[in-house]
Amino acid sequence: MFFEVLTGFITELRLAGVPVSMVESIDAMRAVEHVSLRDRSALKAALGATLVKNVRDAEAFEVAFEVYFAYDRTIPDGGDPATSPESAPSPPMSASLQGMVGDALRAGDTDLLRALARLAVSRYAGMEPGRPVGGLYYVYRTLRAIDLDALAAEAVEAGLTQLEERLLREEIDARLEEFRREVEAEVRRRLVADRGREAVAETLRRTPLLDRDLMHATRAELEAVERAIRPLTRRLTARLARKRKLHSRGRLDFRKTMRSSLATGGVPVEPRFRRLRPSKPDVVLLCDVSGSMATFARFMLQFVYAMSTQFSRIRAYAFIDGIDEVTSYFGPGVDFETAMRRLGDEARVVAFDGHSDYGHALERFWEVRGLTPKTTVIVTGDARTNYRDPRPEVLAGIAEEAKAVYWLNPEPKRFWNTGDSVIRVYEPYCRDVVEVRTLRQLESFVEEVI
Amino acid sequence: MQEFAFPSPSVVADRLRERRYLADDRIAQVVFLADRLGKPILVEGPAGVGKTELAKSLAGVLERRLVRLQCYEGLDESKALYEWNYKKQLLRIQADDGRPWNELEADIFSDEFLLTRPLLEAILAPEPVVLLIDEIDRVEVETEALLLEVLSEFQVTIPELGTLQAASVPLVVLTSNNTRELSEALKRRCLFLHLDYPSADREREILLTKVPGLEAALADEIAKLVRSIRSLPLKKAPSISESIDWARTLLALGVRTVDSATIEDTAHVLLKYQADIDKVLADL
Ligand SMILES: Nc1ncnc2c1ncn2[C@@H]1O[C@H](COP(=O)(O)OP(=O)(O)OP(=O)(O)O)[C@@H](O)[C@H]1O
Ligand SMILES: [Mg+2]
């Protein structure tokens, strides 16, 4: 029985994109022989250490583990005696569940908070067996019944210094987050009891962070993606630096080799190589910052500036129907958020009505361009130009002066050239037009071009 | 009967605590399993979260010698595994001029002329050791291959001598700051342990064990402040060692409760970049 659950779990991990090898699944089976199967945290540690070798996959592991190894218990209708708060040490009880959560919050009693979260689900989620509703719906119903924001506000006492208040708020947020997580976990457990593990796992399976579509991500997902940028660029930078070093060793320098061989009696023991001057690219970014493109521009700028050591020079322009240089906002040591705020407040990107006009923006860029045969121009945008004249000849001129033009389009390829998308007219002047909707695609583009 | 070092994970945690290393459940579990399964632990995480310290503390707990291989770019076989002492070999060849080559060869490629480096040393040690392979992500991916035989078979093959089997199984800890992806082959051989900054509660406990004389209330305040500071987008978030340093500083200054002025005066202990200091001061 347990063995079957474990193989199901491993299959689920693989389906969620976690690469689990044969050897690792055998290790997992060996490891669980050393833990008590009733000890969930021990089981989780054993499986995590043997099956998941990349933090990137931690989230997928969490979800799959919750589904496959939820507490095994039958869930009665309504109340939940096994874990009801009566079994927890009781502080002075308030009359309502809301009040009880508030008390537990102030007391910092996390066990009690978790028990109350389970109780809240059984009372408010209104879960009905067999109803084909996703877990989020029930989580929402439960949390709607309890006003966590109000509780958080109440829990902050008066008369604190600003600093004390901030720390208290963060502490309360952390506890409430725990409450929310327990609500989600409880909903999941009940869904599993109702529909079985596989069905629930399938509805919960999520695209790995690196592959998430940036255009359609929720705010929480975007924040997670942003957090992933820094380690990603750090690794990429290290990789590129190493690559550059390898390539810096040029062809054999015959003269030098012979000269140095004099020291060893004319035997050329150590070949000498010509040094190549590894060239770092000079890039100009042209970012469409209208509407939904702004999200993508933000990622692009963050990504490129996080890797600024890998470029000899970066210039950035933002455009909608007008264009403005924003390079100075991102100077060394300037905080990214501050730069983005200035981009929003100060950059003059609107010339007429604030609807994208690629033709006009390109034309204005042409007037100030400053391109050399070493410059790589990267345009980001969907090339939706509101049926205005796209002026492809301007891009042709840019391409001629620069080393190359690349176009990153964050729209799915199948939507290109539909409606007012005119990507096809620009394509002939680009070294490459690439679909970049995810962090992984962005990473591989940067790696290839540099 | 195989002998195990720990009867249970909670004993791992208790013994580490005696050495003033606070392990959470997961750390204790993974160490326990590493001992049971005879597998290396790959500890990954940001700077200063106690990766290296874990290996050192384990050596202390087990009363074993710590053999450390510090990795760096360019590390090679001759520094990681072994090297022939060719000067000594040359001398021997010169001294024994006239002996037939095959005799001489057998002689100069023997233990006597072998310079052992950390990996071989760990394998040959008569008593089991703790082998710490620190910052493995700094070596080139090709160099990782040198480790594979040691990590899975606990043996080293030297062409001139044959395969040397471990006299005792070492407990191996590898650490990585995750500056590059490690090879799948290496990861497959290890138990994986990701360490992150601790929760405020655990950090408070760490501060209390590491900084004698620190009041619980102050430790609590420091832990929460550090958590708050880590949530800001900084160039370099404060590590555990930095929060320990900060706690020591505050204790030495006789601070009872931390206010903005104190933070302003002591932020340089916690943060290494002026830009980060400015950001924190502006934000708090
Ligand atoms: N769990 C812990 N219990 C007690 N002390 C700890 C713990 N974790 C970290 N420390 C303290 O933090 C300091 C830094 O830890 P350590 O040097 O092991 O970090 P590291 O993760 O190896 O960092 P780096 O990547 O910079 O090498 C240690 O000297 C120790 O005092
Ligand atoms: Mg270290």
Side-chain angles (χ1 to χ4, degrees):
Chain A
M1 163 60 192
F2 178 77
F3 181 77
E4 272 160 39
V5 179
L6 185 56
T7 26
F9 173 67
I10 292 172
T11 309
E12 174 53 33
L13 282 180
R14 291 191 178 127
L15 286 172
V18 183
V20 179
S21 70
M22 196 61 203
V23 186
E24 285 161 328
S25 54
I26 294 169
D27 280 343
M29 293 178 195
R30 284 180 56 210
V32 294
E33 285 171 14
H34 295 277
V35 305
S36 150
L37 298 185
R38 273 194 307 275
D39 184 348
R40 264 178 104 248
S41 78
L43 181 63
K44 190 169 174 185
L47 295 178
T50 46
L51 297 172
V52 182
K53 309 286 172 84
N54 197 323
V55 245
R56 231 183 9 230
D57 299 324
E59 191 189 317
F61 173 78
E62 285 289 327
V63 172
F65 185 84
E66 274 293 336
V67 171
Y68 275 78
F69 302 100
Y71 296 105
D72 276 329
R73 58 193 168 84
T74 43
I75 292 156
D77 297 331
D80 194 354
T83 50
S84 74
E86 278 82 37
S87 60
S90 44
M93 281 280 180
S94 297
S96 66
L97 189 52
Q98 166 103 12
M100 281 155 74
V101 174
D103 292 342
L105 197 58
R106 269 186 297 275
D109 186 340
T110 29
D111 287 338
L112 182 59
L113 264 180
R114 271 194 228 111
L116 290 170
R118 294 193 286 272
L119 188 62
V121 171
S122 77
R123 197 174 289 175
Y124 299 119
M127 294 177 78
E128 291 164 38
R131 243 177 99 195
V133 177
L136 269 182
Y137 171 77
Y138 294 124
V139 172
Y140 171 74
R141 287 237 299 220
T142 308
L143 292 178
R144 196 184 48 186
I146 296 178
D147 192 345
L148 294 183
D149 290 338
L151 284 176
E154 280 166 28
V156 178
E157 305 139 33
L160 298 176
T161 67
Q162 221 180 341
L163 190 60
E164 286 166 338
E165 190 183 316
R166 176 195 177 115
L167 294 184
L168 184 58
R169 241 180 239 292
E170 282 170 350
E171 178 64 26
I172 285 165
D173 285 348
R175 287 179 205 155
L176 283 178
E177 189 51 38
E178 201 132 343
F179 182 85
R180 275 192 206 98
R181 258 201 305 249
E182 188 62 24
V183 167
E184 284 172 17
E186 180 65 11
V187 167
R188 242 175 303 184
R189 277 175 219 132
R190 286 167 182 253
L191 284 176
V192 170
D194 179 29
R195 299 181 203 166
R197 297 185 167 101
E198 272 136 71
V200 177
E202 195 184 330
T203 56
L204 293 174
R205 202 173 296 147
R206 298 228 266 153
T207 335
L209 209 55
L210 279 180
D211 294 319
R212 227 160 274 170
D213 191 331
L214 298 175
M215 293 296 93
H216 298 107
T218 64
R219 239 187 76 181
E221 285 174 330
L222 287 179
E223 279 167 16
V225 172
E226 287 206 7
R227 276 194 302 276
I229 287 185
R230 237 187 326 168
L232 191 71
T233 52
R234 215 180 47 207
R235 280 197 296 271
L236 185 55
T237 305
R239 212 149 64 221
L240 292 171
R242 211 169 283 138
K243 212 159 95 184
R244 196 164 273 133
K245 219 167 124 191
L246 280 180
H247 288 302
S248 70
R249 196 190 231 207
R251 282 186 301 130
L252 184 73
D253 187 332
F254 186 70
R255 275 158 161 275
K256 258 197 206 154
T257 306
M258 289 324 282
R259 210 176 304 133
S260 77
S261 75
L262 293 178
T264 46
V267 185
V269 285
E270 229 183 300
R272 295 301 166 99
F273 298 92
R274 249 180 253 279
R275 287 231 150 257
L276 285 183
R277 265 190 69 78
S279 61
K280 292 183 175 181
D282 163 23
V283 295
V284 171
L285 297 174
L286 302 182
C287 300
D288 182 348
V289 293
S290 68
S292 64
M293 290 301 110
T295 317
F296 185 74
R298 186 185 158 87
F299 280 108
M300 185 68 193
L301 288 164
Q302 201 167 2
F303 200 95
V304 168
Y305 276 98
M307 300 200 46
S308 55
T309 53
Q310 295 303 302
F311 301 98
S312 67
R313 184 174 179 201
I314 306 173
R315 278 168 290 167
Y317 290 81
F319 67 89
I320 293 180
D321 52 357
I323 191 164
D324 199 3
E325 177 160 8
V326 294
T327 312
S328 63
Y329 305 167
F330 295 91
V334 178
D335 169 41
F336 182 75
E337 291 309 321
T338 316
M340 285 309 287
R341 209 169 312 121
R342 285 187 66 192
L343 194 154
D345 296 346
E346 296 171 32
R348 289 171 316 246
V349 292
V350 176
F352 310 111
D353 57 359
H355 293 293
S356 293
D357 183 344
Y358 280 68
H360 186 251
L362 286 172
E363 194 182 352
R364 301 304 302 272
F365 173 69
W366 179 249
E367 290 162 12
V368 296
R369 58 198 185 276
L371 302 171
T372 75
K374 287 198 154 80
T375 317
T376 301
V377 177
I378 302 173
V379 187
T380 70
D382 54 4
R384 292 196 175 272
T385 192
N386 297 297
Y387 302 103
R388 291 162 180 170
D389 183 359
R391 311 283 313 269
E393 72 282 1
V394 184
L395 193 69
I398 293 171
E400 197 150 307
E401 278 186 8
K403 181 173 164 204
V405 176
Y406 291 90
W407 195 297
L408 307 188
N409 192 333
E411 265 195 341
K413 229 174 192 152
R414 63 177 188 285
F415 295 133
W416 293 8
N417 302 311
T418 63
D420 61 341
S421 161
V422 292
I423 190 78
R424 101 178 78 71
V425 310
Y426 295 126
E427 210 157 354
Y429 312 109
C430 298
R431 169 96 37 101
D432 206 357
V433 180
V434 199
E435 179 196 272
V436 177
R437 300 161 56 208
T438 68
L439 214 48
R440 195 191 300 280
Q441 287 171 322
L442 186 54
E443 182 190 23
S444 66
F445 168 77
V446 173
E447 180 154 20
E448 242 153 69
V449 167
I450 297 184
Chain B
M1 244 298 279
Q2 208 178 340
E3 270 193 46
F4 295 119
F6 304 102
S8 72
S10 60
V11 173
V12 177
D14 292 345
R15 309 271 315 265
L16 281 171
R17 181 185 290 269
E18 288 162 17
R19 293 258 149 197
R20 300 205 293 167
Y21 187 91
L22 293 198
D24 59 11
D25 275 359
R26 213 164 38 95
I27 297 177
Q29 273 294 341
V30 175
V31 169
F32 172 77
L33 280 176
D35 174 50
R36 293 284 153 138
L37 303 178
K39 279 178 131 335
I41 309 172
L42 170 59
V43 194
E44 180 201 88
V49 290
K51 302 185 293 294
T52 307
E53 188 75 7
L54 174 62
K56 290 186 184 165
S57 310
L58 280 173
V61 162
L62 296 169
E63 298 180 329
R64 295 190 189 178
R65 191 154 65 90
L66 180 75
V67 177
R68 180 173 186 166
L69 174 64
Q70 176 62 50
C71 297
Y72 51 88
E73 219 180 312
L75 176 81
D76 62 9
E77 196 167 15
S78 68
K79 293 287 172 285
L81 275 167
Y82 66 90
E83 191 172 19
W84 289 106
N85 189 342
Y86 71 93
K87 280 195 189 134
K88 209 169 155 193
Q89 287 175 324
L90 269 175
L91 286 174
R92 172 64 59 91
I93 294 172
Q94 280 167 355
D96 284 341
D97 210 9
R99 264 171 75 195
W101 172 248
N102 56 354
E103 234 174 71
L104 201 55
E105 189 186 16
D107 189 16
I108 61 172
F109 289 111
S110 62
D111 290 0
E112 195 189 338
F113 298 92
L114 195 64
L115 294 174
T116 55
R117 302 297 185 218
L119 294 183
L120 185 58
E121 192 187 332
I123 290 286
L124 296 181
E127 298 289 318
V129 299
V130 171
L131 171 61
L132 166 62
I133 303 176
D134 214 5
E135 313 197 343
I136 176 71
D137 51 331
R138 295 234 205 140
V139 303
E140 288 76 25
V141 74
E142 299 76 29
T143 316
E144 273 180 25
L146 290 178
L147 300 175
L148 299 181
E149 196 187 9
V150 178
L151 295 185
S152 50
E153 325 296 343
F154 298 110
Q155 64 183 36
V156 173
T157 303
I158 302 178
E160 297 86 352
L161 289 181
T163 300
L164 305 178
Q165 190 68 44
S168 55
V169 176
L171 178 67
V172 187
V173 178
L174 299 99
T175 78
S176 162
N177 276 345
N178 203 13
T179 57
R180 68 169 173 85
E181 255 353 303
L182 302 176
S183 73
E184 299 299 321
L186 181 79
K187 288 185 177 180
R188 270 202 302 275
R189 284 166 173 76
C190 301
L191 298 178
F192 186 73
L193 176 62
H194 179 78
L195 290 189
D196 216 329
Y197 300 118
S199 67
D201 283 345
R202 200 161 84 85
E203 187 143 23
R204 183 192 55 219
E205 295 307 313
I206 294 176
L207 292 175
L208 288 173
T209 28
K210 285 279 174 172
V211 188
L214 189 70
E215 298 276 337
L218 185 56
D220 191 57
E221 216 179 333
I222 294 173
K224 284 179 181 155
L225 268 164
V226 171
R227 167 171 72 187
S228 180
I229 290 171
R230 281 191 195 125
S231 72
L232 301 172
L234 300 175
K235 272 191 174 158
K236 188 180 172 308
S239 68
I240 300 182
S241 30
E242 279 142 2
S243 66
I244 292 175
D245 288 345
W246 197 40
R248 289 207 175 107
T249 308
L250 296 179
L251 185 66
L253 292 175
V255 170
R256 316 218 59 197
T257 167
V258 190
D259 54 25
S260 334
T262 324
I263 298 178
E264 196 161 346
D265 291 339
T266 56
H268 59 278
V269 180
L270 202 55
L271 298 159
K272 300 301 169 219
Y273 291 95
Q274 189 57 41
D276 286 349
I277 295 180
D278 294 344
K279 186 175 290 171
V280 166
L281 293 181
D283 203 81
L284 292 181

